Structure formats: structure tokens, C-alpha cells
Amino acid sequence: MRTLNYLLLAVRDPLKSAELYSKLLGREPVEKTKTFVLYVLPTGLKIGLWLADEVEPTPKPAGGIELSFSEESQDAVRATYAEWTRLGLKVVQEPTDMDFGFTFVVEDPDGHRLRPFVLANNPR
């Protein structure tokens, strides 16, 4: 059986990206070189930040997928919004109610979309 447990993000500068992702993920990477950085989350999910110039085949531009983060409440989503906007992340969607819940979207410096959310009581 296949297991999806690893996400790779092509980035311009893995060490610079690691400065941001360590703050976003609340942990330090388990591997950190100038061409690759690896995080292992408590759930077992791995997130790799790979130097885009070394990825083969050449990756397409960022923005086609989102990394989504479950939050416990609307207040937690608002707190994350305040924290992440202080980090200078580009806001793509202000905090808002959607069919599935309360959310917002920002982009990291490489254009990867990040979406914290809390599910609505009766999501569609």
C-alpha cells in the first residue's frame, strides 16, 4: 500500500526558507544543507525544501497547491493571521468564512500557498 507522507517544495534558497518554515512549523529541521532542508512533523509528515535549480525535472511555478493547517478555533486562525502577517507573508485571502470554515491564505517568498483554517460546524 502506498503512503503519502512527504511533500517537496522547490525553493530559491533552502536555508533562507528554513528560517521562515522553522517559525511556521514551530520546530527545527532534522536535515539542513544549502541545497536541501527536511522537517519531520509529529504526525510523521515530512516537508522538504529543495533548491529549485537542482530539482529534476524542472518544477513548475509555485501556487498550484496549498499547505493547509488545521486550527482549533476562529480565534486561533486570527492569531495565526496576525503572526504570519508580521512575518511579512503576502496575503492572498484575508480571514473569511467559506463553505468549509473560517480561513485565510498567504504565500511564502517562493509563492507556495499556506492556508490555516478551522472547520465550520456543518461544512458543505
Side-chain angles (χ1 to χ4, degrees), residues 4 7 10-11 35 41 49 56 66 81-83 89 104 116 120:
L4 175 61
L7 301 173
V11 299
T35 60
L41 304 184
L49 307 174
E56 291 186 24
E66 296 177 348
Y81 177 80
E83 176 188 342
L89 297 176
F104 71 90

Side-chain angles (χ1 to χ4, degrees), residues 32-49:
K32 188 174 176 183
T33 70
K34 67 180 185 174
T35 60
F36 184 76
V37 174
L38 177 65
Y39 292 90
V40 179
L41 304 184
T43 61
L45 178 67
K46 297 172 186 76
I47 298 176
L49 307 174

Side-chain angles (χ1 to χ4, degrees), residues 61-118:
I65 65 164
E66 296 177 348
L67 298 183
S68 296
F69 300 79
S70 298
E71 298 275 8
E72 294 185 9
S73 67
Q74 286 191 9
D75 287 341
V77 172
R78 287 185 190 94
T80 299
Y81 177 80
E83 176 188 342
W84 289 8
T85 55
R86 280 193 302 271
L87 294 173
L89 297 176
K90 178 183 174 187
V91 176
V92 181
Q93 180 185 43
E94 295 286 336
T96 188
D97 284 305
M98 298 188 71
D99 291 348
F100 61 87
F102 187 69
T103 188
F104 71 90
V105 177
V106 295
E107 289 182 349
D108 74 8
D110 291 289
H112 299 290
R113 293 168 58 136
L114 310 170
R115 179 187 294 275
F117 70 96
V118 62

